[in-house]
Amino acid sequence: MATALPALPGVDHSLQFLRQGYDFVGQGCRTVGAHRFRARVMLRPVICAQGADAARLIYDPDLFTRKGAMPPHVLRLLQDKNSVQMLDGPPHRHRKGLFTSLLMTDEAEQSLLDLLDREWGRALQDWTGQDRIVLFDQVNLILTRAILGWTGVALDDPDRMAGDLSAMIENTGRLGPRMWQALARRRRVEARIRRVIRAARADAAHEDSPLHRIARFRDADGKPLTLDQAVVELINILRPTVAIGRYVAFAALALHRHPSLAPALRQGRLGYEAFAEEVRRDSPFFPVIGGIARRGFDWNGVAVAKGDWMLVDLFGTCHDPRLFPAPQDFDPQRPLSWRDFGSDFVPQGAGSPHDGHRCPGERLTVAVIRHAARMLVERMDYSVPPQDLTVSLSHVPALPASGMVLAAVRPRATRSGP
């Protein structure tokens, strides 16, 4: 006999979701005394859950599809209907292979870090003459310039692109005028990238840049991507890279709140990758992932019907005490790695990025956080003036309220001699 899931009290929980943000599923679990429950969001029934079992389930491509699993404006700002995330089965695996081949190689990592290092060094020269900077804003500019160079997209005004991409990310959790403005900026980005793709397709040089590989990619049916599909997929590399700026701000916040970390990193007693992975576990980044059941099945006694909507709490799973002892403590000694492709450490998804919907950019995300932390620790001196460093879990996506202000930034003096 099927088990009935507990229901969250109330008729509709949309406003509750907006108010609680990252903690909506966690609060609901505590309310019903279980790790899964039924609710109603936007007047639509939904199963909400957290934990490794739920993450493993929703990232099973045979059981769930991403089609219809998120509000239209969020889909438009973050992925779009023509993207790889909206595909299933062999077509998804074929196009996903484009992204894994672009993003998950040693060459890709090193070339992006080289560009990041160059752009950060240039920015550091400018920061040295300023009283203070907002690190989050500055890193968004650095990441935009680096990823445009990495993909092979040449623009006269990359800082304008940085503002547009940042607005798309910042307003995914909002409704009203700011959301509409972000959609307008998305259309402006698409128009610019459409011209870039057209030029790449007309280029007879057959370059091997990510831009040219996307422009000339053929789907599983042997047909080239439509112009709109190619535009969407290139943006799906640009925008997520800029989104890593939030992790960099949280990394700087962790270094500030835990002063012992910087000397440990500098002296090699703590690895930068371990630090970066704990930043990902601890920081609010993706709140939930949604899926629509492709068929009916039994989930540990609970009947899931074809078409059921499900939301799995990625943030809450990364703070689940069943998986991470003392989850509220920032502890870079935890054995965490994106390479495991597991279902417990899921800041950017669960399962294999080759076969499922897990983000193929995790490797580069960790590399960028790692490198940014090294720059903050080894290449810069700065102070952290009084500011509002609170992080509201009701604001999606989250960020330290001040954007992480740094003062008196200057290159770090290197010691000479033994």
Side-chain angles (χ1 to χ4, degrees), residues 40 47 187 274:
R40 188 175 288 269
I47 300 170
R187 289 191 291 272

Side-chain angles (χ1 to χ4, degrees), residues 13-49:
H13 309 97
S14 303
L15 293 178
Q16 194 172 330
F17 197 171
L18 290 173
R19 287 196 305 267
Q20 295 175 342
Y22 288 86
D23 204 29
F24 170 73
V25 178
Q27 289 271 27
C29 289
R30 290 187 287 274
T31 297
V32 303
H35 292 288
R36 50 187 181 172
F37 59 88
R38 293 190 183 274
R40 188 175 288 269
V41 176
M42 299 181 295
L43 302 176
R44 183 180 177 186
V46 61
I47 300 170
C48 300

Side-chain angles (χ1 to χ4, degrees), residues 212-272:
H212 284 78
R213 289 179 63 183
I214 291 172
R216 295 184 171 129
F217 181 75
R218 292 180 178 270
D219 250 336
D221 56 8
K223 296 179 181 178
L225 298 179
T226 67
L227 181 59
D228 285 345
Q229 287 171 336
V231 167
V232 164
E233 300 301 23
L234 183 53
I235 293 173
N236 278 340
I237 290 180
L238 301 178
R239 186 204 60 257
T241 304
V242 176
I244 304 172
R246 305 190 105 77
Y247 275 139
V248 175
F250 283 118
L253 180 61
L255 291 170
H256 172 64
R257 287 179 170 171
H258 307 280
S260 64
L261 291 176
L265 288 164
R266 203 175 294 127
Q267 297 163 15
R269 292 182 284 110
L270 172 63
Y272 281 99

Side-chain angles (χ1 to χ4, degrees), residues 140-159:
N140 283 348
L141 297 176
I142 289 171
L143 288 171
T144 301
R145 295 168 187 165
I147 195 60
L148 288 174
W150 184 84
T151 53
V153 176
L155 296 177
D156 294 332
D157 52 350
D159 292 0

Side-chain angles (χ1 to χ4, degrees), residues 1 13 37 69 101 130 133 147 155 166 205 232 234 243 251 268 287 289 300 315 319 322 335 354 364-365 375 412:
M1 183 176 179
H13 309 97
F37 59 88
S101 68
Q130 302 178 36
I133 65 163
I147 195 60
L155 296 177
S166 299
V232 164
L234 183 53
I289 186 69
N300 297 333
F315 175 73
H319 290 78
R322 297 174 297 171
H354 301 281
L364 294 188
T365 299
M375 300 295 283
R412 184 175 179 82

